[in-house]
Amino acid sequence: GLVAHALGIHRAMAWGVDTICSSVISQMHAAASLIAAGQADHVLCVVSAAYSRVTDPGSSSTIQEADMAGAMVVARRPGCRMDFAWRVDGRLHGAIRLAWDVPTGTAPRAWWQQSREKLLIRFDPELQTRVMGEIAKHARTVCDEALARAEMRLDDIQVFLSHQPFVWYREFIADLLGLRDDIVFDTFEEYGNVNSASIATALHHARKAGRLEKGTQALVCSSTRRRRASG
């Protein structure tokens, strides 16, 4: 609603669609469904990540995380289509959580000193191991299903974009799906992990680089380790 107000948009729906790393794909799916149902002609999708507010400054992973915002407009175009496939496992919802805690390496405080607690991202080591172990199975499944629904084969894909949580993820996902290296496009080297905005960032730069044009056959994939809040 705040974004719509700032843009002077009043005669429209304003929804919060947030699935963390997969937010861009979720928003595309919602937008495409609205358009296909005749409920909208153009849908403005906005994503943002503000990692700097919740990262642990004492953790080594902080150096690869950044803030970013992106926006895109989804509309009908003759001859174009989008097909989707999903998998969800609610058992792993606690793999990431937001918790009030002191940053790693913080010196103990005297009782009269102000608390240094802040809202930080925390990971459950056991669940994280399960999540990372199952990404390979689920990524292959959803990509195969999406291609089947689009009546396409992997060899038809001209550019592949995915969420980019780690520096090694590009090679991992390419090997997993059997992708040619020349079709994989990412922006991790430039921006690091920008979470929910990573796919939007990759889409923007792939278009600027001439890799994503009218008629380009693209495959987009993301995995989400859902975040929960705790007091």
Side-chain angles (χ1 to χ4, degrees), residues 96-227:
I96 299 179
R97 72 185 192 281
L98 289 174
W100 289 98
D101 201 352
V102 294
T104 302
T106 301
R109 70 180 181 92
W111 63 269
W112 65 82
Q113 293 176 319
Q114 184 177 1
S115 173
R116 300 182 180 90
E117 283 190 345
K118 58 183 296 189
L119 196 59
L120 299 173
I121 294 177
R122 292 302 187 208
F123 303 92
D124 183 302
E126 181 180 347
L127 288 178
Q128 282 290 101
T129 300
R130 290 175 58 189
V131 169
M132 296 307 297
E134 294 181 18
I135 280 178
K137 175 182 68 176
H138 293 316
R140 182 81 222 194
T141 298
V142 295
C143 286
D144 286 346
E145 283 190 6
L147 288 168
R149 291 175 181 175
E151 300 179 334
M152 296 172 60
R153 298 176 299 121
L154 198 59
D155 291 343
D156 298 324
I157 299 301
Q158 296 168 288
V159 62
F160 175 83
L161 308 171
S162 76
H163 172 52
Q164 305 149 40
F166 311 106
V167 68
W168 47 263
Y169 197 77
R170 172 190 173 120
E171 286 74 19
F172 165 75
I173 200 72
D175 289 345
L176 170 67
L177 299 178
L179 301 169
R180 304 190 314 274
D181 188 62
D182 62 311
I183 72 169
V184 182
F185 188 93
D186 74 352
T187 56
F188 189 91
E189 185 174 340
E190 291 84 0
Y191 300 110
N193 179 10
V194 289
N195 197 264
S196 56
S198 64
I199 291 177
T201 304
L203 286 167
H204 172 69
H205 283 280
R207 186 171 180 271
K208 286 184 64 177
R211 297 284 300 277
L212 197 62
E213 301 173 330
K214 182 178 179 180
T216 299
Q217 309 279 25
L219 177 62
V220 183
C221 179
S222 178
S223 60
T224 295
R225 298 166 293 173
R226 187 67 188 177
R227 184 179 302 149

Side-chain angles (χ1 to χ4, degrees), residues 29-47:
H29 199 167
S33 299
L34 288 168
I35 294 169
Q39 298 299 307
D41 294 320
H42 298 84
V43 181
L44 173 63
C45 301
V46 180
V47 289

